[in-house]
Amino acid sequence: MRKSIVVLIAVFILPMLNVSMAQEIARTLYVMNGLGQTLSKMNLETLEIMNDIVVVGDIPNRVYARDDKIYVVTSTPPGITIIDGRTAEVINTIALAEGSNPWDMAFVGTDKAYVTNLLANSVTVVDLATGDSINTIEVGKGPEGILVVNNTAYVANTGGFPDYAPSTVSVIDIRDDSVTKTLDVPMNPQDFTVAPDGNIHVVCTGNYGDVSGKVVVINPFGDTDFTPLVVDTVEIGGSPGDIVVTTDAVAYLADFGDGNNGFVYAYDALNLEVFNVASNPLLVGNGATALLFDAATNGLYVSNFSDDAVQLLDASNGTVISTFGFGDGAQMLAILEPISDSDPWADIVVSFTPGAGAGFGQNFFPDNVLGPPDPDQALTEFNPSSKPQELLSLGQGGGIVLEFTDNFIVDGEGVDFTVFENVFFFSGSTVPFIEAAFVAVSMDGENWVEFPWDTTTFEGFAGVTPTFDNQNPTDPNVSGGDSFDLADVGLPYAKYVKLTDIGDLKKEGPFNGDFDLDAVVAVNSMSGQPTSVEENPTLQPKAFTLSPNYPNPFNPGTTIAFAVPTISRVQIKIFNLKGQLIRTLVEQDYPAGKHSTLWDGKDDNARNVASGIYLYEMKAGDVREARRLTLVR
């Protein structure tokens, strides 16, 4: 999730950039100090805190972490400060319109962001790569919080101080920057979150006096025309200003408090049962301002503005676990995920040729295919990812080539890499919703070997198996997705993976569409460049082996893989069940390593043989081994 692209007509060609990374960066919590006008950070592995590491502006409002960068939205001076996550140095400052009072931001593309402008009643569309303001979207009065879900942005229009009227939510189609609907909501909407059922929860603060806080629930498809609709209200009380939902579907809200304590409220985000409201709040540090749910640890962070601190709560019950001191006016929070010299994900999109019907996800391309599979912990094999931020539709017959640059896939123990697509099961069914693609690999990007496939069983294709555990994508025993073994195609390593939607070759199902790529993940890999794979003893076979042919049954051809631990004379022959020789496939010397050969269903005279069961036998050294295969005409 790092590189930029150059678009040439219908084929997208990307620069092959090797990124030199100087250091490993641990998972880090960033804290924006509103009064100190600085950022602080805490190493989430060691809990080491470094305060006031960089100055960010006179009135900072929001902080976000994305890839290897930190973004801070400032009202004064109006703009976005971009900070390098490795060095904590400011690498760019994007100026926005004077007097606009930028408040919040959301990413709506690889290099595209929306920024809400409290005093300008608008959203600025910003090109983060160039720093240009490329469009302005007129919304309601006093916009503050913003949330992007799939291709839709929701903007909280507070109505403006002191009347907070009208209080609305603007709905924007991020594909063309157009407002498609405006929803009336209770007084002073501030922020949003998404519940596990896909509904949008909006915290409406009230007027900090006689009108108390509420949460309204928006169903994104609730209206008769399948557009967003307010469908429910939760009475909270107090003056909550921020909201999050945990993976256990508990919604938490932060209330600045009474001068002695901050308050946290809680309710069930699915059935809307309230647990803690203004009459029985959870007590936290003074000046509770912002919440951040950490799905990786099931921790809930709350900033205490008046105490210059951040507290860690147990997200299962809201109890305080730890308190950490930060800078002056600890306010907003963000977590930067680890930055590593080498990771198991594909690094570069070499080319993308869209097929018919492609388009979904292209506003987030190539970031949405470079990185891990969608990490949302709410996803299951029945509830797959559907985010353009995480998926790219290849279109019918479309293709994409990915390269690994900081490491490469090697033929190791078991499968060697996994392709993730948003395959899923319908509720109560064990038949997957398949959107298949051919898979090919290459050592040099020029010479390709395609994995054998079978349109009857869908073996050998990607886009067949759902994702079962997106938190462990490098463990094929639990991850799901479609895994591939380089031994099946006889390669010792691969730097390139090519995926091609199968088009009209096979109708996967009555409702199935085109292949939607989420991620390609190396299971067995080595860092650096593949110059010494052949000499590496850890990658060499320890014994003579003859692998099951693939596919089996087959028509018209099947691959037979074998391995030799030392240079050896190898014979591989095909026999019928009567013991009669049908074909000599291999009779030559092979170096130590893993190899393969193809049988095309013909005899030594190039004549097609009949359907049936055949034997294939390997002789090498003192080893003689045979297996069965089935040809189906």
Side-chain angles (χ1 to χ4, degrees):
M1 299 186 173
R2 296 167 290 278
K3 285 80 178 179
S4 59
I5 66 170
V6 176
V7 180
L8 297 177
I9 314 177
V11 179
F12 300 76
I13 307 295
L14 280 78
M16 300 184 188
L17 303 176
N18 285 302
V19 180
S20 176
M21 298 183 177
Q23 55 182 320
E24 303 273 331
I25 302 297
R27 202 161 183 263
T28 305
L29 174 70
Y30 279 82
V31 180
M32 188 191 80
N33 305 305
L35 297 179
Q37 305 167 1
T38 61
L39 280 185
S40 297
K41 68 177 183 178
M42 180 171 71
N43 183 315
L44 291 176
E45 294 179 2
T46 65
L47 302 185
E48 177 188 6
I49 295 173
M50 298 179 65
N51 276 320
D52 305 322
I53 58 173
V54 62
V55 176
V56 292
D58 295 342
I59 305 179
N61 268 332
R62 291 288 189 273
V63 61
Y64 292 98
R66 188 192 196 202
D67 299 337
D68 59 354
K69 297 180 179 64
I70 312 298
Y71 299 81
V72 179
V73 181
T74 56
S75 291
T76 306
I80 303 171
T81 301
I82 304 176
I83 298 157
D84 189 314
R86 291 181 174 276
T87 64
E89 296 177 351
V90 175
I91 55 177
N92 195 17
T93 300
I94 298 174
L96 299 175
E98 289 293 335
S100 60
N101 198 354
W103 192 270
D104 199 359
M105 72 177 288
F107 300 101
V108 293
T110 298
D111 293 310
K112 180 180 174 184
Y114 282 175
V115 179
T116 59
N117 302 306
L118 179 67
L119 299 183
N121 304 331
S122 66
V123 170
T124 300
V125 185
V126 180
D127 186 322
L128 296 172
T130 65
D132 295 332
S133 297
I134 55 178
N135 199 2
T136 299
I137 306 169
E138 300 299 326
V139 291
K141 184 179 178 182
E144 291 192 6
I146 183 170
L147 173 73
V148 174
V149 180
N150 298 334
N151 285 317
T152 302
Y154 298 84
V155 177
N157 304 308
T158 65
F161 178 83
D163 298 327
Y164 302 110
S167 293
T168 62
V169 169
S170 295
V171 181
I172 302 173
D173 187 330
I174 68 173
R175 293 168 294 188
D176 59 10
D177 301 333
S178 64
V179 176
T180 60
K181 193 168 186 176
T182 300
L183 302 171
D184 292 325
V185 296
M187 182 178 287
N188 195 7
Q190 292 276 322
D191 215 344
F192 305 88
T193 192
V194 185
D197 60 3
N199 284 341
I200 313 299
H201 290 226
V202 189
V203 56
C204 301
T205 305
N207 64 359
Y208 307 97
D210 60 338
V211 179
S212 60
K214 298 177 174 62
V215 172
V216 293
V217 180
I218 298 173
N219 183 329
F221 310 104
D223 214 340
T224 55
D225 58 354
F226 302 104
T227 58
L229 181 71
V230 174
V231 294
D232 223 324
T233 302
V234 184
E235 298 291 340
I236 300 295
S239 302
D242 197 18
I243 184 171
V244 297
V245 172
T246 72
T247 51
D248 294 328
V250 178
Y252 286 100
L253 302 98
D255 186 326
F256 199 84
D258 60 4
N260 296 310
N261 295 103
F263 303 146
V264 170
Y265 310 130
Y267 65 92
D268 189 307
L270 298 178
N271 63 27
L272 308 186
E273 176 188 359
V274 296
F275 306 136
N276 302 94
V277 291
S279 60
N280 64 331
L282 299 169
L283 300 181
V284 295
N286 194 14
T289 303
L291 297 168
L292 175 64
F293 173 63
D294 183 1
T297 63
N298 201 42
L300 179 67
Y301 292 94
V302 55
S303 63
N304 309 137
F305 183 86
S306 302
D307 288 347
D308 305 332
V310 172
Q311 291 178 303
L312 172 62
L313 281 60
D314 184 334
S316 65
N317 54 33
T319 58
V320 176
I321 298 173
S322 303
T323 300
F324 307 98
F326 283 97
D328 192 4
Q331 188 172 340
M332 307 307 295
L333 311 169
I335 290 178
L336 180 72
E337 296 299 332
I339 307 173
S340 174
D341 287 347
S342 179
D343 58 51
W345 337 120
D347 298 294
I348 289 175
V349 176
V350 178
S351 66
F352 170 40
T353 306
F360 185 85
Q362 286 190 19
N363 49 328
F364 291 94
F365 174 75
D367 287 11
N368 49 1
V369 296
L370 300 178
D374 188 342
D376 186 347
Q377 288 196 338
L379 301 180
T380 69
E381 61 268 33
F382 299 98
N383 175 38
S385 177
S386 60
K387 309 181 186 75
Q389 294 89 340
E390 298 289 345
L391 299 170
L392 176 70
S393 174
L394 301 190
Q396 187 178 37
I400 190 168
V401 175
L402 305 171
E403 180 184 0
F404 288 77
T405 59
D406 53 34
N407 61 352
F408 56 96
I409 305 167
V410 297
D411 183 17
E413 190 72 25
V415 298
D416 301 313
F417 68 96
T418 302
V419 179
F420 292 91
E421 205 255 9
N422 63 338
V423 188
F424 66 95
F425 295 128
F426 288 107
S427 180
S429 172
T430 57
V431 178
F433 183 95
I434 294 173
E435 297 172 324
F438 303 107
V439 181
V441 287
S442 173
M443 295 189 291
D444 58 10
E446 297 180 2
N447 300 292
W448 293 92
V449 182
E450 187 172 85
F451 282 88
W453 42 266
D454 187 327
T455 56
T456 303
T457 63
F458 283 102
E459 290 185 24
F461 289 113
V464 176
T465 306
T467 301
F468 296 110
D469 183 355
N470 58 1
Q471 302 303 303
N472 294 283
T474 60
D475 184 354
N477 294 314
V478 298
S479 68
D482 296 292
S483 296
F484 298 86
D485 188 341
L486 292 180
D488 291 338
V489 291
L491 292 186
Y493 70 88
K495 281 180 59 65
Y496 301 86
V497 176
K498 178 166 61 176
L499 301 162
T500 307
D501 180 82
I502 69 172
D504 288 330
L505 174 70
K506 170 74 174 180
K507 185 68 174 176
E508 301 104 313
F511 306 107
N512 297 35
D514 304 315
F515 186 85
D516 299 322
L517 177 61
D518 189 348
V520 178
V521 178
V523 175
N524 293 316
S525 65
M526 292 180 63
S527 60
Q529 296 302 311
T531 55
S532 59
V533 174
E534 300 287 346
E535 294 91 19
N536 191 325
T538 65
L539 299 178
Q540 296 295 351
K542 302 296 190 296
F544 293 97
T545 57
L546 179 64
S547 300
N549 65 299
Y550 187 85
N552 190 37
F554 71 95
N555 180 22
T558 188
T559 297
I560 298 170
F562 58 97
V564 294
T566 60
I567 184 169
S568 305
R569 185 72 174 179
V570 177
Q571 286 184 349
I572 296 180
K573 297 182 177 182
I574 306 293
F575 298 90
N576 62 24
L577 293 182
K578 296 179 180 180
Q580 297 169 325
L581 177 64
I582 302 297
R583 178 83 173 269
T584 298
L585 294 176
V586 167
E587 192 165 13
Q588 66 182 70
D589 292 333
Y590 279 90
K594 297 181 179 182
H595 310 279
S596 66
T597 187
L598 177 71
W599 184 37
D600 57 6
K602 299 180 185 294
D603 62 17
D604 279 329
N605 295 313
R607 296 174 300 197
N608 288 331
V609 301
S611 298
I613 298 173
Y614 294 84
L615 301 176
Y616 62 102
E617 179 190 70
M618 179 181 80
K619 290 182 180 179
D622 296 329
V623 174
R624 180 175 180 177
E625 186 176 353
R627 290 180 177 274
R628 290 190 175 200
L629 50 73
T630 302
L631 171 62
V632 179
R633 293 291 187 189

